[in-house]
Amino acid sequence: MKSVRSRKAPTAYLVGVSYLFCALFLFWSLVAGYWQGVDPLWAASVVVVGMVFYLLRMGLELLFFDRVEVTSERLIQRRLLGAQHTDLAQPNLADLSRDLGGNRYLVLARVGDKLPLAAVNLRYLGNAREVVQAILEAVQRKNPQLEISPRLLQRFGQPPYGTFN
């Protein structure tokens, strides 16, 4: 069975390393201030520790764990805290979306549902075009009534793309 796997873009490594450096700097500044006798506000310490854990999680996820794999049956998104398996027979709507941070997502959903079945972050994928085409082709094979947004059709064309031939 053929599968398409995501590759990291060079910016993913740059951003991941910068997240880890920021986390290290925040943690070190908190510890160094404590050693020098600075009595920090406990609320500020809690916020800094929370930011350290958040930046560590984001950096580790970008560098090592964020992977997407597409087969003709299933979409698998591997993350730091687990994997999400999406059966590609379920979605009947595909669209592009952006969040406040500028990340572009491929959203797979069912018409009438409030939450999407899957959202694939395309910002840090080196082969985002290949991954999106594989997902759209696999979903349309399973569900011929798939509604593809005009933005997706304009950017990637009409499936099939010949990915799983």
Side-chain angles (χ1 to χ4, degrees):
M1 177 183 295
K2 185 177 178 184
S3 69
V4 175
R5 294 181 182 185
S6 65
R7 289 189 317 266
K8 297 278 185 205
T11 55
Y13 295 107
L14 182 66
V15 171
V17 167
S18 66
Y19 279 156
L20 293 178
F21 278 131
C22 287
L24 182 65
F25 174 76
L26 278 174
F27 182 72
W28 180 252
S29 64
L30 187 66
V31 170
Y34 181 74
W35 283 344
Q36 293 176 359
V38 176
D39 189 21
L41 297 173
W42 285 106
S45 298
V46 169
V47 169
V48 168
V49 168
M51 285 296 296
V52 166
F53 282 120
Y54 175 75
L55 290 171
L56 275 175
R57 183 185 74 86
M58 291 299 294
L60 290 173
E61 190 169 288
L62 269 175
L63 289 174
F64 303 112
F65 296 100
D66 195 15
R67 301 275 188 254
V68 177
E69 183 179 350
V70 183
T71 65
S72 59
E73 301 290 325
R74 182 167 299 277
L75 168 67
I76 303 166
Q77 296 179 24
R78 290 184 170 82
R79 303 237 186 253
L80 178 65
L81 300 176
Q84 177 185 356
H85 299 269
T86 305
D87 182 18
L88 293 179
Q90 293 179 350
N92 56 11
L93 177 66
D95 196 3
L96 279 177
S97 178
R98 283 188 182 265
D99 66 3
L100 293 176
N103 294 323
R104 182 180 295 127
Y105 290 89
L106 171 67
V107 178
L108 299 174
R110 293 195 55 76
V111 174
D113 286 354
K114 292 183 180 180
L115 295 176
L117 296 171
V120 179
N121 189 348
L122 305 175
R123 184 174 198 157
Y124 299 113
L125 298 183
N127 61 341
R129 182 174 194 80
E130 183 182 354
V131 170
V132 169
Q133 288 179 342
I135 292 170
L136 291 177
E137 184 173 331
V139 172
Q140 192 168 43
R141 278 186 175 186
K142 292 289 186 178
N143 188 354
Q145 290 81 25
L146 176 68
E147 294 180 33
I148 302 174
S149 74
R151 288 181 289 194
L152 274 171
L153 291 176
Q154 180 183 10
R155 186 171 296 246
F156 299 105
Q158 182 72 33
Y161 309 105
T163 306
F164 293 110
N165 290 340

